[in-house]
Amino acid sequence: MRDADITVRVSATADPAAVRAARMGLLLRSLRDRGPRSRGRLAVETGLTRTVATGLVDELAELGLVSCEDADRRGAGRPGVQVRLVGSSVCGVGAEINVDHLAVVAVDLAGSVIAEFRRGIDGRSLPPEGVLAELAGLVDDALAEARTAGATVAGITVGVAGLVDTATQRVTLAPNLGWRDIDAAEDVRRRLATTATPVPPVRVANEATLAATAELDPTDADRADMVVLYGEVGLGGAIVSGGRVAPGRHGWAGEIGHLPVDPRGRLCGCGRTGCWETVVGLRALLEAATDPDDPVRDPVLTLEERLATLVERARLADGRTLAALDEVGTWLGTGAAILVNTLNPGTVVLSGYFAVLGEWLRPAVEARLAADVLAPRAGGTRVAISAFGPTAAVRGGALVSLEPVLSDPTALAELHGGTR
């Protein structure tokens, strides 16, 4: 995960090896988030002495994680040495299980995509074992491409649209999938064991929480406190406070899709009536914008194909499409105003499918915030459109998978022992 405060210092009373590893990780985060730096600038930004920073940079270079190059400096004086992140040597794999699709991406330490796969499914009609078998196949393909690229895989993180118990790593409840108490991580690990030895660490997390991880930006103060709205078949959400995703006591924070906003509304997949996701999820938009026999509802279409059709219709000023987008945007703003009044975030991020249709949704969201937020100027909250859209969750999963290397770069030597 990205660290909002790059000047965090490690206690000198801690174990010396742990101190060294944490400081190395601090240097890596600075290079990843802020680009190439001189040793001197790295020392200042991380609160280390020049001597310590230089020694740690040398260790990172031995691990193949950074390189030191002469900067191109014109004029008199010696050229400066720039420390650069070598991101291609290690990658993280993110995976996503949603009602209508599976997705997998491998991202290296510099943020470059090594492999990416997406497949449409009907998650409601398949048993959990069938869905997980399909997902494991896609993950295995990503691992193969990572090996071909010469990258060490730090881990695999699977995002699920539902409640995930962070202690047991089990999917407690995924209403739209119809799942209860599923050990998704162990299932994927067992399936991969038949083709990859040893298997990189596998964990599971809520997909909206992972989407929020992808949206973190330590250079943007407004994103230190934000709410991420992740549009999918339903609605996922995550709360960021002080530059960190707030998981809640059991990891269940952010289930905002089940805020009751329309008591006389439709039945939700969770069994309750009038949940927020019943009026803003992709299912609600499709029902408002199209007839049952409309080609855009064809289950064989990918999410991208469906959204591309809706974008085309919106740009052609199709009345029904625009009316549906305005209706969803208004409901989206109604719920967002509740969160802004409660949390006063710097930013509300429209992610997932909301991002693809953001230019039509954002005006209605902003209008509701202006009308419904008690504080002046909507509490100073801005509405931003995600740059990652429907890929935010899977990308966030890849970033989370890289966290062990960022926390302790010395662990890379152990990973080199067999997870390539």
Side-chain angles (χ1 to χ4, degrees):
M1 299 178 190
R2 301 194 177 205
D3 197 334
D5 183 2
I6 202 65
T7 63
V8 172
R9 291 171 173 80
V10 182
S11 170
T13 61
D15 175 70
V19 170
R20 187 179 81 258
R23 287 172 170 171
M24 290 170 69
L26 204 57
L27 294 173
L28 278 186
R29 291 179 199 275
S30 181
L31 292 169
R32 180 196 62 180
D33 295 339
R34 301 165 186 267
R37 292 286 193 276
S38 67
R39 288 188 178 95
R41 189 164 184 81
L42 277 171
V44 170
E45 291 179 347
T46 56
L48 303 173
T49 67
R50 176 71 177 264
T51 300
V52 169
T54 296
L56 295 176
V57 165
D58 290 342
E59 289 189 59
L60 289 171
E62 290 177 8
L63 289 169
L65 292 172
V66 304
S67 65
C68 301
E69 304 169 1
D70 288 340
D72 181 13
R73 179 184 294 175
R74 292 176 173 82
R78 296 175 59 188
V81 175
Q82 292 285 296
V83 183
R84 297 178 181 274
L85 184 69
V86 179
S88 59
S89 63
V90 61
C91 73
V93 173
E96 180 186 17
I97 300 172
N98 214 305
V99 177
D100 59 0
H101 71 268
L102 302 173
V104 175
V105 67
V107 176
D108 70 20
L109 202 58
S112 298
V113 175
I114 295 176
E116 189 169 13
F117 303 96
R118 183 177 287 265
R119 178 176 300 167
I121 62 166
D122 183 356
R124 292 286 297 187
S125 65
L126 286 173
E129 297 78 12
V131 173
L132 293 169
E134 293 274 354
L135 183 76
L138 295 181
V139 171
D140 193 48
D141 291 340
L143 294 178
E145 291 208 16
R147 287 193 294 268
T148 299
T152 298
V153 179
I156 301 160
T157 303
V158 180
V160 182
L163 295 175
V164 175
D165 189 317
T166 54
T168 65
Q169 284 288 285
R170 298 179 74 89
V171 179
T172 304
L173 175 65
N176 290 326
L177 284 164
W179 289 14
R180 286 182 180 272
D181 196 29
I182 302 296
D183 195 347
E186 179 56 33
D187 189 292
V188 171
R189 186 183 300 111
R190 176 173 51 79
R191 294 178 190 278
L192 291 175
T194 64
T195 57
T197 305
V199 178
V202 182
R203 68 187 301 262
V204 63
N206 174 268
E207 65 170 2
T209 298
L210 297 179
T213 300
E215 303 295 343
L216 291 173
D217 184 352
T219 67
D220 185 347
D222 284 340
R223 294 208 175 199
D225 297 283
M226 67 177 171
V227 172
V228 176
L229 306 180
Y230 188 71
E232 45 186 68
V233 170
L235 166 65
I239 300 162
V240 173
S241 178
R244 298 179 182 276
V245 180
R249 182 169 183 177
H250 297 290
W252 298 340
E255 283 298 326
I256 58 177
H258 299 286
L259 286 173
V261 298
D262 187 11
R264 292 178 293 183
R266 71 181 69 186
L267 186 68
C268 180
C270 72
R272 298 169 179 83
T273 299
C275 291
W276 193 12
E277 72 172 41
T278 65
V279 289
V280 300
L282 182 61
R283 183 177 296 161
L285 175 62
L286 291 177
E287 290 179 3
T290 66
D291 293 323
D293 60 349
D294 191 299
V296 79
R297 293 210 207 180
D298 189 335
V300 303
L301 293 179
T302 65
L303 176 64
E304 289 79 6
E305 290 170 331
R306 292 183 181 186
L307 293 176
T309 299
L310 292 175
V311 167
E312 181 181 9
R313 292 177 184 179
R315 287 181 176 159
L316 292 173
D318 175 71
R320 183 171 178 181
T321 301
L322 292 177
L325 288 168
D326 184 67
E327 179 183 355
V328 168
T330 298
W331 276 115
L332 194 56
T334 298
I338 296 172
L339 297 173
V340 171
N341 277 322
T342 305
L343 302 169
N344 186 216
T347 306
V348 170
V349 180
L350 304 184
S351 187
Y353 99 78
F354 297 144
V356 180
L357 299 168
E359 68 177 278
W360 296 279
L361 295 172
R362 180 158 61 180
V365 174
E366 291 175 333
R368 289 300 347 137
L369 292 185
D372 296 344
V373 174
L374 180 63
R377 300 181 303 280
T381 299
R382 65 184 175 102
V383 179
I385 298 174
S386 169
F388 303 115
T391 68
V394 71
R395 184 178 182 87
L399 295 177
V400 168
S401 296
L402 284 166
E403 182 62 21
V405 174
L406 289 167
S407 297
D408 180 4
T410 62
L412 187 61
E414 182 179 343
L415 289 171
H416 277 313
T419 58
R420 273 190 163 178

